[in-house]
Amino acid sequence: MFDRRLLAKRRGRAARGFHGVSFLKQRAVADVCERLDFINRRFEIVLDIGSHGRYLAETLAENRDLAAKIGFVAACDLSSAYFAGKNEPGFVADEDHMPLANQSLDLVVSTLGLHWVNDVPGFLAQVRLALRPDGLFLASFLGGRTLQELRACLAQAETEAHGEPQPRVSPFADAQDGAQLLQRAGFALPVADSDVVTVRYANMFGLLRDLKAMGETAAFAAKPTRKLTRSLIARAADLYQSHHADPDGRIRATFELITLTGWAPHASQQKPLRPGSARMRLADALGTQEISTGIKPGDDVAS
């Protein structure tokens, strides 16, 4: 679906000025660190995938208690530009083809990269195999509500002009998809949750400038057959202003951050109870009387 070479090129161009538009990256990294702060164990070997430089390592170092839980942190990114002129450990790697050895890592973190991966199930399965038993995977990526206003306005403008829209904004998964993919990849205790961030701009063009500066503009492998002309963009900007502006005239842009948490299976982890193994009846717990329906397992109850 995505042209990874084009994405790497755009990320490389964005590297120099990325810090000025890194508010989503900083929020995602801060959330990961907050979750790690509640985990009472040490992670010796950590890999930060799609790092955009050293945001995670620097944030970890700022918290003495949290830093004590972390050993060596290696960072990798799709573009070498994020490591240019720096002495910190980092290497170039593509999430679609990660060079990971089995059971070599204690913690894998991915912030704002998973939504660009072509083979998400394959990536998650590879991460799962790379984790040692009881190793942890934490990922934060853009979810389904991201840029919903921009998507709708571009689609309406193009439909008005040509009768139908073409893909202009990347598709994003939702939290339920993420939890199911974790389970499918063999992670234990899979959890997915969502955080919606609203960012305000003077107009749609300010949003587009930030997306370009982040290296987050669409990079479809199959290019649209119709160019996005200035007149279509202008019409979309008018629609955006009409439908998604606050009373002060500034427009709203939605970003949904979905966070996934999954553990490599280990014997010490909590296991779900077997059906029928409960020691207390639900009626007793609720302080009510149980009423028998007379229906037994396997009975056909359809009318």
Side-chain angles (χ1 to χ4, degrees), residues 10 14 30 67 73 78 85 92 112 148 160 185 214 228 278 298 302:
R10 289 179 174 173
V73 180
L78 187 59
V92 176
L112 299 192
Q148 58 188 6
E160 290 175 358
M214 293 176 186
L228 194 58

Side-chain angles (χ1 to χ4, degrees), residues 151-166 226 228-229 231-240 242-243:
R151 187 193 309 275
C153 292
L154 286 171
Q156 183 176 341
E158 202 162 10
T159 299
E160 290 175 358
H162 301 287
E164 61 178 6
Q166 293 198 351
R226 188 168 51 239
L228 194 58
T229 62
S231 60
L232 282 174
I233 295 174
R235 175 56 179 155
D238 289 341
L239 290 168
Y240 209 132
S242 299
H243 299 319

Side-chain angles (χ1 to χ4, degrees), residues 27-202:
R27 188 181 183 110
V29 168
D31 181 71
V32 164
C33 290
E34 184 177 350
R35 293 166 191 264
L36 289 173
D37 207 19
F38 284 99
I39 299 173
N40 187 26
R41 61 157 292 182
R42 180 174 169 83
F43 299 95
E44 294 293 345
I45 307 296
V46 181
L47 178 59
D48 179 16
I49 301 177
S51 63
H52 289 89
R54 300 286 294 172
Y55 282 90
L56 176 63
E58 292 170 0
T59 305
L60 290 170
E62 292 171 358
N63 184 322
R64 181 179 300 179
D65 293 336
L66 188 54
K69 300 179 180 180
I70 304 297
F72 176 76
V73 180
C76 69
D77 196 88
L78 187 59
S79 172
S80 62
Y82 288 95
F83 305 113
K86 300 178 181 179
N87 295 322
E88 295 92 345
F91 61 96
V92 176
D94 186 337
E95 287 98 328
D96 277 355
H97 308 284
M98 289 297 299
L100 302 180
N102 286 357
Q103 296 193 14
S104 59
L105 302 167
D106 299 296
L107 170 64
V108 175
V109 175
S110 171
T111 51
L112 299 192
L114 196 59
H115 55 277
W116 287 114
V117 175
N118 282 306
D119 181 12
V120 176
F123 171 77
L124 293 178
Q126 191 175 14
V127 169
R128 156 71 185 84
L129 292 174
L131 286 170
R132 293 166 180 160
D134 206 32
L136 175 62
F137 174 58
L138 280 170
S140 181
F141 62 96
L142 296 179
R145 284 178 280 182
T146 297
L147 300 177
Q148 58 188 6
E149 303 90 353
L150 178 63
R151 187 193 309 275
C153 292
L154 286 171
Q156 183 176 341
E158 202 162 10
T159 299
E160 290 175 358
H162 301 287
E164 61 178 6
Q166 293 198 351
R168 302 295 181 183
V169 178
S170 296
F172 301 104
D174 59 26
Q176 184 177 359
D177 294 331
Q180 291 173 347
L181 287 171
L182 281 177
Q183 191 170 27
R184 175 180 169 184
F187 283 96
L189 310 174
V191 176
D193 54 74
S194 171
D195 177 27
V196 176
V197 181
T198 301
V199 183
R200 301 204 314 148
Y201 291 91

Side-chain angles (χ1 to χ4, degrees), residues 265-287:
H266 188 266
S268 65
Q269 293 166 354
Q270 184 178 0
K271 302 293 192 300
L273 294 174
R274 291 182 294 104
S277 62
R279 298 181 179 180
M280 175 180 284
R281 297 186 311 152
L282 179 59
D284 294 337
L286 297 176

